[in-house]
Amino acid sequence: IETAPVKNLDSTYDSKLLEIETKLHNRIKGKKRQAVYAYLSSFLPHSKESLQRRAKKVNIANEEASLEGPLARLQEAVELQIPEQLERYKEEVRRAVEAHNSKTSVSSADESMTVASDSNIGSGDDDWDSSLINALESPTRKSSDEGKPKKFRPPQKKFLWNPETRALLCDAVQAKVESLRATMQRIVGG
């Protein structure tokens, strides 16, 4: 009884192909590696080229899977920190708004007092209230930069890294570097 050729390789073939590919990649280059795949194709219902392509795809999938773990751990740690970071940012914005409001109200009141006192030189104290009101309504400005009220700019959002998330980030970067290094070896080494 003959079995029909299998169109797709299953996971056991994939794992064996991955094992063979990693051993061959580290030890054997070029035509010798092709000879190994030619030898394997004589026992399997696939050509040498299809085995090589499949081994390459399985190797790439394995490298991508090795990146998923560190990235998932980093994402989980960051998501746990986000509520705390948002609360800290809201508090910074609240303090900045209060500081901006107090600066603008103090500086406008000081400027109004200066303008009012300059306009009151030589006049009596009874006109002081009316000149202050006039100065508040239409203050005279010395320069265009001083006169413009400063536009409020909220504090910049920033993520504060703790040692745990920093270590997870380093792990993810290291995994990506290793993946890129393997890809470059595959491209250069053939």
Side-chain angles (χ1 to χ4, degrees):
I1 298 175
E2 287 187 33
T3 59
V6 179
K7 293 251 180 189
N8 294 324
L9 300 175
D10 62 356
S11 63
T12 56
Y13 284 121
D14 285 349
S15 63
K16 290 298 180 185
L17 271 177
L18 179 62
E19 184 181 333
I20 291 168
E21 175 65 20
T22 54
K23 286 180 182 179
L24 289 177
H25 187 73
N26 294 333
R27 296 183 185 156
I28 301 173
K29 301 285 183 200
K31 291 187 178 187
K32 290 182 180 179
R33 184 164 49 177
Q34 289 180 2
V36 170
Y37 282 113
Y39 178 75
L40 287 173
S41 69
S42 65
F43 295 103
L44 297 171
H46 300 283
S47 69
K48 172 184 75 168
E49 292 81 17
S50 65
L51 286 174
Q52 286 177 319
R53 280 192 306 265
R54 183 63 185 178
K56 184 177 179 181
K57 286 181 183 178
V58 170
N59 196 10
I60 290 170
N62 186 46
E63 289 172 4
E64 289 174 359
S66 69
L67 286 175
E68 289 175 6
L71 288 176
R73 288 190 299 272
L74 176 63
Q75 182 178 2
E76 183 180 322
V78 168
E79 285 174 354
L80 287 174
Q81 279 191 310
I82 284 179
E84 175 188 335
Q85 300 275 344
L86 286 174
E87 287 300 318
R88 184 177 297 138
Y89 177 72
K90 286 177 184 176
E91 182 62 27
E92 285 180 19
V93 169
R94 188 188 59 75
R95 278 189 258 132
V97 166
E98 288 175 359
H100 177 73
N101 289 342
S102 66
K103 270 186 182 179
T104 56
S105 64
V106 167
S107 65
S108 63
D110 288 343
E111 188 176 291
S112 299
M113 292 295 278
T114 305
V115 170
S117 64
D118 289 344
S119 65
N120 279 337
I121 297 175
S123 65
D125 285 340
D126 53 340
D127 289 331
W128 189 80
D129 289 337
S130 62
S131 63
L132 178 61
I133 292 172
N134 290 337
L136 285 173
E137 290 175 356
S138 61
T140 57
R141 311 267 185 211
K142 292 182 181 177
S143 71
S144 63
D145 289 342
E146 288 178 18
K148 292 181 182 175
K150 290 189 177 182
K151 184 178 178 182
F152 173 71
R153 296 184 186 207
Q156 189 175 18
K157 285 185 179 180
K158 53 190 167 206
F159 186 83
L160 300 176
W161 295 88
N162 65 18
E164 177 192 355
T165 54
R166 186 165 283 140
L168 290 171
L169 176 66
C170 289
D171 290 345
V173 168
Q174 186 64 32
K176 182 64 177 176
V177 166
E178 291 298 321
S179 173
L180 291 174
R181 193 172 287 143
T183 303
M184 289 304 296
Q185 285 179 349
R186 192 171 45 250
I187 292 170
V188 173

